[in-house]
Amino acid sequence: MASTEQFVPPQGHLAPDALLQWLTRLDTATTPATKAELKTALPALLTWFLGIISKGQGVPIRHKTAKCIGKSFNIVGTRDLSTTISKCLDIIKGKDEVAYTAKAGAMEIIAACAKSLGRAISPFASDVVKELGKAFKSPELHLKLVVLQTVREIVLGLGSGVGTGYVYAKMCDVTAKCQCLGCSQQFWLCSLYLYRKFPLLALDLSSSTLVHSC
Protein backbone atom coordinates (compact mmCIF):
# COMPACT_ATOMS: atom_id res chain seq x y z
CA MET A 1 0.00 0.00 0.00
CA ALA A 2 1.28 3.46 -0.91
CA SER A 3 2.29 5.77 1.93
CA THR A 4 2.53 9.54 2.17
CA GLU A 5 5.96 9.07 3.76
CA GLN A 6 7.57 8.71 0.34
CA PHE A 7 6.35 12.22 -0.47
CA VAL A 8 7.68 13.88 2.69
CA PRO A 9 10.54 16.25 1.79
CA PRO A 10 13.90 15.56 3.44
CA GLN A 11 14.89 17.75 6.36
CA GLY A 12 18.07 19.76 6.53
CA HIS A 13 20.77 20.20 3.93
CA LEU A 14 21.44 17.50 1.34
CA ALA A 15 24.52 17.28 -0.83
CA PRO A 16 23.69 17.64 -4.54
CA ASP A 17 24.14 13.92 -5.24
CA ALA A 18 21.88 12.92 -2.35
CA LEU A 19 19.30 15.52 -3.37
CA LEU A 20 19.26 14.25 -6.95
CA GLN A 21 18.84 10.67 -5.72
CA TRP A 22 15.87 11.66 -3.57
CA LEU A 23 14.25 13.52 -6.47
CA THR A 24 14.77 10.48 -8.69
CA ARG A 25 13.00 8.27 -6.16
CA LEU A 26 10.20 10.81 -5.92
CA ASP A 27 9.86 10.87 -9.69
CA THR A 28 9.52 7.07 -9.71
CA ALA A 29 6.92 7.15 -6.92
CA THR A 30 4.83 9.83 -8.62
CA THR A 31 2.28 7.76 -10.53
CA PRO A 32 -1.52 7.67 -10.92
CA ALA A 33 -1.51 4.81 -8.41
CA THR A 34 -0.27 7.19 -5.70
CA LYS A 35 -2.61 10.04 -6.60
CA ALA A 36 -4.37 10.22 -3.22
CA GLU A 37 -1.15 10.29 -1.23
CA LEU A 38 0.47 12.75 -3.61
CA LYS A 39 -2.52 15.10 -3.45
CA THR A 40 -2.25 15.24 0.33
CA ALA A 41 1.47 15.85 0.31
CA LEU A 42 1.72 18.20 -2.69
CA PRO A 43 1.32 21.60 -0.95
CA ALA A 44 4.25 20.88 1.37
CA LEU A 45 6.24 19.41 -1.50
CA LEU A 46 5.72 22.50 -3.64
CA THR A 47 6.91 24.76 -0.83
CA TRP A 48 10.01 22.62 -0.48
CA PHE A 49 10.61 22.47 -4.25
CA LEU A 50 10.45 26.25 -4.58
CA GLY A 51 12.68 26.64 -1.56
CA ILE A 52 15.51 24.59 -3.05
CA ILE A 53 15.09 26.18 -6.48
CA SER A 54 15.25 29.69 -5.02
CA LYS A 55 18.73 28.92 -3.68
CA GLY A 56 20.06 28.21 -7.17
CA GLN A 57 20.77 24.66 -8.30
CA GLY A 58 22.68 22.88 -11.03
CA VAL A 59 21.04 21.70 -14.23
CA PRO A 60 20.32 18.05 -13.19
CA ILE A 61 18.54 19.08 -9.98
CA ARG A 62 16.58 21.84 -11.75
CA HIS A 63 15.46 19.47 -14.50
CA LYS A 64 14.40 16.74 -12.09
CA THR A 65 12.58 19.18 -9.81
CA ALA A 66 10.69 20.69 -12.73
CA LYS A 67 9.79 17.25 -14.05
CA CYS A 68 8.41 16.16 -10.65
CA ILE A 69 6.27 19.30 -10.39
CA GLY A 70 4.85 19.03 -13.91
CA LYS A 71 4.16 15.34 -13.45
CA SER A 72 2.45 15.95 -10.08
CA PHE A 73 0.08 18.57 -11.50
CA ASN A 74 -0.76 16.25 -14.38
CA ILE A 75 -1.77 13.54 -11.91
CA VAL A 76 -3.53 15.43 -9.12
CA GLY A 77 -4.90 18.48 -10.93
CA THR A 78 -4.13 22.18 -11.00
CA ARG A 79 -5.44 23.40 -7.65
CA ASP A 80 -2.01 24.73 -6.62
CA LEU A 81 -0.88 25.76 -10.11
CA SER A 82 -1.71 29.46 -9.79
CA THR A 83 0.24 29.79 -6.54
CA THR A 84 3.19 27.91 -7.98
CA ILE A 85 3.35 30.05 -11.13
CA SER A 86 3.07 33.20 -9.00
CA LYS A 87 5.98 32.13 -6.80
CA CYS A 88 8.05 31.22 -9.84
CA LEU A 89 7.39 34.68 -11.26
CA ASP A 90 8.51 36.22 -7.96
CA ILE A 91 11.85 34.41 -8.36
CA ILE A 92 12.18 35.46 -12.01
CA LYS A 93 11.43 39.09 -11.08
CA GLY A 94 14.15 39.05 -8.44
CA LYS A 95 16.87 41.67 -8.56
CA ASP A 96 20.46 41.06 -9.57
CA GLU A 97 21.31 39.45 -6.24
CA VAL A 98 19.04 36.52 -7.12
CA ALA A 99 21.22 33.87 -8.73
CA TYR A 100 20.52 33.37 -12.42
CA THR A 101 20.41 29.63 -11.69
CA ALA A 102 17.44 30.27 -9.39
CA LYS A 103 15.66 32.20 -12.14
CA ALA A 104 16.46 29.45 -14.61
CA GLY A 105 15.01 26.88 -12.21
CA ALA A 106 11.76 28.84 -11.88
CA MET A 107 11.51 29.07 -15.67
CA GLU A 108 12.08 25.34 -16.02
CA ILE A 109 9.22 24.69 -13.59
CA ILE A 110 6.91 26.82 -15.73
CA ALA A 111 8.13 25.02 -18.86
CA ALA A 112 7.45 21.63 -17.26
CA CYS A 113 3.95 22.73 -16.29
CA ALA A 114 3.30 23.89 -19.86
CA LYS A 115 4.57 20.59 -21.21
CA SER A 116 2.45 18.53 -18.80
CA LEU A 117 -0.71 20.62 -18.76
CA GLY A 118 -0.93 22.18 -22.22
CA ARG A 119 -3.61 24.85 -22.47
CA ALA A 120 -4.19 24.83 -18.72
CA ILE A 121 -1.24 27.21 -18.63
CA SER A 122 -3.02 29.75 -20.86
CA PRO A 123 -4.40 32.00 -18.04
CA PHE A 124 -0.82 32.69 -16.97
CA ALA A 125 0.85 32.95 -20.39
CA SER A 126 0.67 36.73 -20.72
CA ASP A 127 2.21 37.46 -17.30
CA VAL A 128 4.82 34.74 -17.73
CA VAL A 129 5.98 35.91 -21.15
CA LYS A 130 6.10 39.52 -19.97
CA GLU A 131 8.58 38.56 -17.24
CA LEU A 132 10.50 36.24 -19.56
CA GLY A 133 10.95 39.18 -21.90
CA LYS A 134 12.52 41.19 -19.10
CA ALA A 135 14.70 38.27 -18.02
CA PHE A 136 15.96 37.89 -21.58
CA LYS A 137 17.90 41.14 -21.11
CA SER A 138 20.23 39.32 -18.72
CA PRO A 139 23.87 39.15 -19.86
CA GLU A 140 23.88 35.43 -18.94
CA LEU A 141 23.66 33.44 -22.17
CA HIS A 142 22.44 30.35 -20.32
CA LEU A 143 19.51 32.28 -18.90
CA LYS A 144 18.61 33.63 -22.35
CA LEU A 145 18.48 30.07 -23.69
CA VAL A 146 16.29 28.93 -20.80
CA VAL A 147 13.95 31.85 -21.54
CA LEU A 148 13.54 30.72 -25.14
CA GLN A 149 13.19 27.06 -24.19
CA THR A 150 10.44 28.05 -21.75
CA VAL A 151 8.64 30.13 -24.37
CA ARG A 152 8.89 27.21 -26.77
CA GLU A 153 7.21 24.86 -24.26
CA ILE A 154 4.46 27.42 -23.70
CA VAL A 155 3.87 27.68 -27.45
CA LEU A 156 3.81 23.90 -27.77
CA GLY A 157 1.40 23.66 -24.84
CA LEU A 158 -0.97 26.37 -26.07
CA GLY A 159 -1.21 24.84 -29.54
CA SER A 160 -3.34 26.88 -31.89
CA GLY A 161 -5.08 28.83 -29.13
CA VAL A 162 -5.41 32.60 -29.22
CA GLY A 163 -2.64 33.01 -26.66
CA THR A 164 -0.11 31.41 -29.00
CA GLY A 165 -0.08 34.45 -31.26
CA TYR A 166 0.68 36.79 -28.38
CA VAL A 167 3.42 34.55 -27.00
CA TYR A 168 5.08 34.16 -30.38
CA ALA A 169 4.88 37.86 -31.21
CA LYS A 170 6.41 38.69 -27.83
CA MET A 171 9.20 36.23 -28.47
CA CYS A 172 9.93 37.94 -31.79
CA ASP A 173 10.06 41.26 -29.99
CA VAL A 174 12.38 40.26 -27.14
CA THR A 175 14.84 38.38 -29.34
CA ALA A 176 14.99 40.82 -32.25
CA LYS A 177 18.29 42.42 -31.19
CA CYS A 178 20.04 39.27 -30.04
CA GLN A 179 22.90 38.12 -32.25
CA CYS A 180 23.95 34.90 -30.48
CA LEU A 181 23.71 31.61 -32.36
CA GLY A 182 22.08 29.68 -29.51
CA CYS A 183 19.19 32.13 -29.23
CA SER A 184 18.74 32.14 -32.99
CA GLN A 185 18.51 28.35 -33.06
CA GLN A 186 15.92 28.24 -30.27
CA PHE A 187 13.89 30.99 -31.91
CA TRP A 188 13.74 29.31 -35.29
CA LEU A 189 12.95 25.89 -33.83
CA CYS A 190 9.86 27.46 -32.31
CA SER A 191 9.09 29.34 -35.54
CA LEU A 192 9.38 26.17 -37.60
CA TYR A 193 6.98 24.39 -35.28
CA LEU A 194 4.40 27.15 -35.71
CA TYR A 195 4.71 27.20 -39.48
CA ARG A 196 4.28 23.45 -39.71
CA LYS A 197 1.43 23.13 -37.23
CA PHE A 198 -0.46 26.39 -37.69
CA PRO A 199 0.43 27.91 -41.08
CA LEU A 200 -2.42 30.44 -41.10
CA LEU A 201 -1.51 31.76 -37.66
CA ALA A 202 2.18 31.97 -38.54
CA LEU A 203 1.55 33.67 -41.87
CA ASP A 204 -0.69 36.21 -40.18
CA LEU A 205 2.07 37.00 -37.71
CA SER A 206 4.77 37.11 -40.36
CA SER A 207 3.57 40.37 -41.84
CA SER A 208 4.50 42.31 -38.72
CA THR A 209 6.67 40.21 -36.43
CA LEU A 210 8.86 37.79 -38.32
CA VAL A 211 11.66 40.24 -39.04
CA HIS A 212 14.42 38.72 -36.92
CA SER A 213 18.00 39.85 -37.03
CA CYS A 214 19.70 36.75 -35.62
Side-chain angles (χ1 to χ4, degrees):
M1 181 178 294
S3 168
T4 57
E5 292 181 4
Q6 61 193 324
F7 298 114
V8 176
Q11 300 297 312
H13 174 75
L14 287 181
D17 286 349
L19 180 54
L20 187 58
Q21 289 174 10
W22 189 86
L23 289 168
T24 300
R25 291 194 297 271
L26 178 67
D27 182 24
T28 302
T30 303
T31 68
T34 58
K35 178 178 179 178
E37 293 78 12
L38 178 60
K39 189 172 184 178
T40 299
L42 188 57
L45 265 178
L46 290 171
T47 298
W48 181 79
F49 282 142
L50 290 165
I52 62 170
I53 286 298
S54 68
K55 297 175 183 177
Q57 301 292 340
V59 172
I61 290 175
R62 297 201 316 258
H63 283 183
K64 186 64 73 173
T65 300
K67 181 182 178 183
C68 287
I69 291 176
K71 193 174 179 182
S72 296
F73 280 132
N74 185 260
I75 291 172
V76 307
T78 60
R79 182 184 63 182
D80 297 305
L81 179 61
S82 178
T83 301
T84 300
I85 297 294
S86 177
K87 290 181 178 178
C88 285
L89 288 177
D90 287 342
I91 295 173
I92 295 169
K93 292 176 186 177
K95 302 299 182 182
D96 292 341
E97 63 268 17
V98 176
Y100 80 88
T101 51
K103 296 184 179 185
M107 293 175 195
E108 289 175 23
I109 290 172
I110 293 173
C113 290
K115 184 174 183 178
S116 291
L117 302 172
R119 292 185 183 179
I121 204 79
S122 60
F124 317 103
S126 178
D127 288 340
V128 168
V129 174
K130 177 182 177 182
E131 295 306 324
L132 291 178
K134 294 176 182 178
F136 191 79
K137 297 175 183 178
S138 167
E140 293 286 348
L141 174 59
H142 178 72
L143 192 62
K144 289 178 182 288
L145 294 177
V146 176
V147 167
L148 291 176
Q149 289 161 1
T150 303
V151 172
R152 181 173 180 270
E153 290 299 339
I154 293 173
V155 169
L156 292 172
L158 291 178
S160 59
V162 174
T164 308
Y166 169 81
V167 171
Y168 183 67
K170 185 67 176 178
M171 184 174 66
C172 292
D173 180 54
V174 301
T175 61
K177 297 180 181 179
C178 183
Q179 300 295 325
C180 62
L181 178 61
C183 291
S184 179
Q185 289 173 335
Q186 286 294 328
F187 176 87
W188 287 112
L189 279 173
C190 197
S191 300
L192 182 61
Y193 171 82
L194 274 178
Y195 269 102
R196 286 179 173 176
K197 290 288 187 178
F198 318 115
L200 294 180
L201 170 64
L203 287 172
D204 181 58
L205 286 168
S206 67
S207 61
S208 59
T209 60
L210 280 182
V211 179
H212 198 272
S213 60
C214 282

